[in-house]
Structures are given as structure tokens and as C-alpha cells.
Amino acid sequence: MKRIISVLFAFSLVVTLAAQSALHALQVVADGDCRKLPVTTLDGCIDIDFDILGHEYRRIVYKIEHMQADWSAPSDLIESEFLAGFDGNPIEDYAESLNTTVLYTHYHLSLPNDNVSVLLSGNYRVTFTDDDTNERLGEVRFMVVDPLVGIRATMTTHTDRDINGRDQQLELEVSHSQLSIIDPCRELRTVVMQNRCWDRVVVCEDPNIISAGSVAYTHRPYLVFRAGAEYNKFEVLEKHSAGLGLDRIEYHAPYEHVVLYPVEPMHNYTYDETYNGVYVPRNSRGDAATESEYYVVHFAYAGDRRGDRFIYLVGDFTQGRMQPAYRLEWNDDLGMYEGSVMLKQGYYEYQMVWDDGSCVTGDYYETRNSYAIMTYYRQRGSRYDRLCGFNVLDIKD
């Protein structure tokens, strides 16, 4: 069996390396706290880090765009209205990896910096391009809030679908007395995101309670969320000793391979303390940015096959989305779902979800999810969406 697994690892390695993005270990952190959604204020700071494999210098330039509330397109603003300084600058903070088996170059970008800063609240997209080849390498999102509205949120497991079953239901109240609002149903848009996952976002556009200075959303079907299960986690600090969640570490030229314990089917809720998908790059020997190794990490789910369906890994390291590079497929020889991804040393939390977004281990009302609530305001005649409210309901509280 071990020989079969080694052969399969080599096959999945080829597939994964061909599919992964050019930007590795991509991380966006607001105000130094990697545990939260990248939301800051106008006087706050955004830090963006990523690696590009190899030691060859690449002139990476970044472009900042102000986006609409639903992220579907840039706003109608011209650049000078939302940016101070000049856009399209190269990233000047970069360094080659030191004493690593996999060579890479680490890039770091802080916003604001000496060249550019943002002027308005709202959604922002940063895209990265190779200036020599004009190849678009990737993008990240962050948000800037100007807190002018108050958001109160509560969660109950006595939902309109079930009682202490598979779901959690939210009720929201948005207080907007500081804004000059004529029609709150048209001018306000409130968005709810579960566990920093962009695939688990709902838009609230029809408050059922409207009063002077506030609107409320109660018994709204779209505010009933699948509860899911607690995140899995593992940690790789060094190759000579197994860490949290690791079965073993093996070398198959030219890479070190980390084999995780398979995720098992669950029949009851199991509590485990997590931060709902956080990723922290670190190692036991030096600087996490340039002295961390890359490993091929092997994931598996030891449940029954479900036709031709796929499983996706979801966490901050996948940018909160189901992406092809993080997909697990059924393996007849192993009798389980499996897949591999090249990841940098560090601490990882992840969920396995089916292709419809449901958790492979089931939904349990006790799960300690977090819900980010964002309220956008577009005044009549305005050409952009302002982010005027942000709050997080953490079920751990």
C-alpha cells in the first residue's frame, strides 16, 4: 500500500503544480491581525505578502481599483478621486529565500506607502502583473470602512428551518441616524459573510422593519446558514518531527511530502478551538517570510464516494474560495478522496466542502462560526458605494 501511495503522490504532484496560481502563500492582513477579514479604516494599514517560485527577478507592479459593493466591476470613480499618489508602482520590498530546498522570492506590499494611499471607504481590489510579460499573476481584496452606522447582530439555532438542527439563523439591525437617507431600501445594502468565505456571502436588500434611523432584517430566509463543522488544522514547523495533524513526512525527489491524517466522517458534533480558517506562516528556525520551506501537503477524506462529485479545501490559504487547485478527487486504489497542494511551512486551518459548498462532515448547530456584516451606502446621485458599517458576530463570544 505504501508503494501505491508514493506513486499516486507523484501523479497528483504533477497535476497540482500545473494548476496552482503563480502567487504562493498569498496573504492579506489588516492592521496586523491575520485572524480577521481584511477590513481596515482610512488611517489603518493593509499588508500583502506572497511568494513567486524561483530566484529570478521579476518586476511586479500593482494596480488598485475601487470596486462596487458586489465586487462585480470597478466603481465609476476616476483614480484621483479614490487614490492619493500614483498607481501602477513596482513592489520594491522583495527578498530571495535563504537555505531552502524550493527556491522562491518573497514580495511584501504595505498600503498606504510613500507612493500611494486610499482616500475613500469601500471595496478595493489589488491586481499584480509581471511588468515585462504583462502577465496578470493574481489579485487580492480588502475593504476600508468609515464607521457611520451601527450594526447589531444576533444568532439563533431555533431557525425557520429547524430547531437545534443543521442551521444557524441571523437577525440584523442597522442604525443609520448619522446618514441622510431618504429610501433605505435603495440606498443601503448589507452583506453577510460566514467565516471569511467569499462563497458564503448573502446580500440583504429587503428589510422587513423600517423605522426612523434604522432598518432590521428578521426571519429572512437568506439569513439561515448551514452550520457546518469546526475547521480541521495542521502545523508544519520542521521536517524532522511530525507536527499537529501530521501522519508523517517523506522525501520523494525533488520535494518533501507531508501526509496528513485523513479527515474522517462525523456523526456528532466535535468541538475544537479554531479561528475559522486562519493561516499563519511560521517555522522553527528563522524568518517565516524567507526561511520557510515549501512542502507538498497531501489531504484525504476517508468517506464514501458520492458519484462524480468533488471536494474542495477552503480556508484563508485558498482566499476563502473553492478553487480548482485545492480540489480532492476520488481515488479507487486508496478508496478515498485525495489531493495534494504545495504549501509553505506554517499553521493552517481548513474545511473540506462538497462542490455545492456543504461541509463533508455534516452540519451541526453547535459549530462556532463567525459572521462578518458589512453595510454599504450609496447616496442618490453618488457614483460609488461607501462602506459605512462593519461588525463581526463571533459565536465563540
Side-chain angles (χ1 to χ4, degrees):
M1 174 63 74
K2 188 172 182 180
R3 182 169 177 265
I4 293 175
I5 292 176
S6 297
V7 173
L8 293 171
F9 283 174
F11 172 76
S12 61
L13 173 62
V14 173
V15 174
T16 301
L17 294 184
Q20 273 192 273
S21 166
L23 306 183
H24 294 256
L26 181 60
Q27 188 175 38
V28 188
V29 176
D31 303 321
D33 190 349
C34 65
R35 298 169 298 177
K36 69 176 187 178
L37 196 67
V39 180
T40 187
T41 57
L42 285 168
D43 58 354
C45 178
I46 293 291
D47 289 294
I48 303 170
D49 290 88
F50 60 84
D51 299 332
I52 295 180
L53 299 186
H55 278 177
E56 296 180 2
Y57 170 72
R58 300 180 70 175
R59 190 175 190 268
I60 309 301
V61 297
Y62 60 94
K63 179 178 177 59
I64 304 172
E65 296 172 285
H66 192 282
M67 304 296 292
Q68 296 180 6
D70 62 1
W71 298 93
S72 61
S75 64
D76 295 328
L77 300 173
I78 61 175
E79 187 176 287
S80 60
E81 292 180 287
F82 63 87
L83 288 183
F86 300 96
D87 199 12
N89 300 295
I91 299 179
E92 299 175 345
D93 186 355
Y94 60 91
E96 295 179 350
S97 60
L98 300 173
N99 301 317
T100 58
T101 302
V102 176
L103 303 182
Y104 60 89
T105 303
H106 180 79
Y107 292 82
H108 173 78
L109 173 65
S110 289
L111 298 172
N113 55 49
D114 292 339
N115 295 316
V116 68
S117 61
V118 301
L119 300 174
L120 302 176
S121 68
N123 294 343
Y124 285 89
R125 179 174 68 185
V126 184
T127 56
F128 301 98
T129 304
D130 187 315
D131 197 37
D132 295 323
T133 64
N134 206 34
E135 177 189 2
R136 180 168 171 161
L137 303 175
E139 66 179 51
V140 297
R141 296 175 175 182
F142 70 91
M143 288 153 280
V144 176
V145 60
D146 184 10
L148 296 174
V149 306
I151 300 173
R152 186 180 67 86
T154 58
M155 187 280 291
T156 179
T157 58
H158 289 209
T159 77
D160 293 339
R161 293 179 187 168
D162 54 24
I163 297 177
N164 290 345
R166 302 186 306 167
D167 303 299
Q168 296 174 344
Q169 184 163 347
L170 269 62
E171 294 190 352
L172 310 175
E173 181 180 359
V174 178
S175 302
H176 55 78
S177 58
Q178 295 188 61
L179 300 175
S180 299
I181 293 181
I182 299 175
D183 186 351
C185 292
R186 291 181 178 270
E187 297 176 55
L188 290 180
R189 174 179 291 187
T190 296
V191 176
V192 181
M193 175 188 293
Q194 185 189 60
N195 295 337
R196 302 190 299 279
C197 290
W198 294 100
D199 295 324
R200 305 177 199 172
V201 173
V202 299
V203 178
C204 313
E205 294 182 315
D206 58 342
N208 59 325
I209 301 176
I210 302 175
S211 57
S214 70
V215 295
Y217 307 83
T218 63
H219 297 286
R220 302 289 86 180
Y222 51 74
L223 287 177
V224 180
F225 291 82
R226 291 170 172 162
E230 303 293 353
Y231 278 67
N232 305 289
K233 56 190 179 183
F234 70 93
E235 185 173 49
V236 186
L237 295 181
E238 57 178 290
K239 64 181 179 181
H240 300 296
S241 63
L244 174 69
L246 274 60
D247 182 7
R248 63 190 185 276
I249 300 177
E250 300 178 348
Y251 180 75
H252 300 280
Y255 301 107
E256 296 282 354
H257 292 247
V258 172
V259 183
L260 304 181
Y261 289 111
V263 172
E264 301 281 348
M266 292 170 49
H267 304 288
N268 297 289
Y269 170 74
T270 301
Y271 170 74
D272 195 7
E273 184 71 26
T274 70
Y275 295 100
N276 294 322
V278 73
Y279 155 56
V280 183
R282 60 189 183 192
N283 62 62
S284 60
R285 64 177 185 170
D287 179 55
T290 58
E291 297 183 63
S292 295
E293 289 282 2
Y294 271 88
Y295 299 104
V296 179
V297 181
H298 297 269
F299 298 83
Y301 174 61
D304 295 332
R305 182 175 186 175
R306 295 196 180 182
D308 295 326
R309 299 182 67 181
F310 299 116
I311 292 174
Y312 290 88
L313 305 172
V314 177
D316 286 359
F317 69 101
T318 75
Q319 300 300 295
R321 299 184 182 90
M322 295 185 293
Q323 299 191 54
Y326 303 97
R327 187 171 71 187
L328 277 61
E329 301 182 9
W330 180 259
N331 188 304
D332 281 326
D333 294 293
L334 295 177
M336 63 179 68
Y337 289 88
E338 62 89 25
S340 61
V341 186
M342 178 172 276
L343 297 175
K344 197 173 186 178
Q345 274 180 295
Y347 171 80
Y348 291 82
E349 295 179 353
Y350 67 96
Q351 272 189 340
M352 290 185 178
V353 299
W354 294 108
D355 41 26
D356 65 354
S358 59
C359 187
V360 300
T361 53
D363 296 281
Y364 306 93
Y365 73 90
E366 304 98 325
T367 303
R368 298 192 171 193
N369 294 305
S370 63
Y371 294 90
I373 305 105
M374 294 147 281
T375 296
Y376 296 86
Y377 169 52
R378 177 174 285 209
Q379 191 175 17
R380 288 191 174 187
S382 177
R383 292 179 292 117
Y384 76 102
D385 298 308
R386 302 164 61 183
L387 179 55
C388 292
F390 175 73
N391 193 15
V392 176
L393 175 64
D394 195 332
I395 308 304
K396 295 177 182 178
D397 296 337

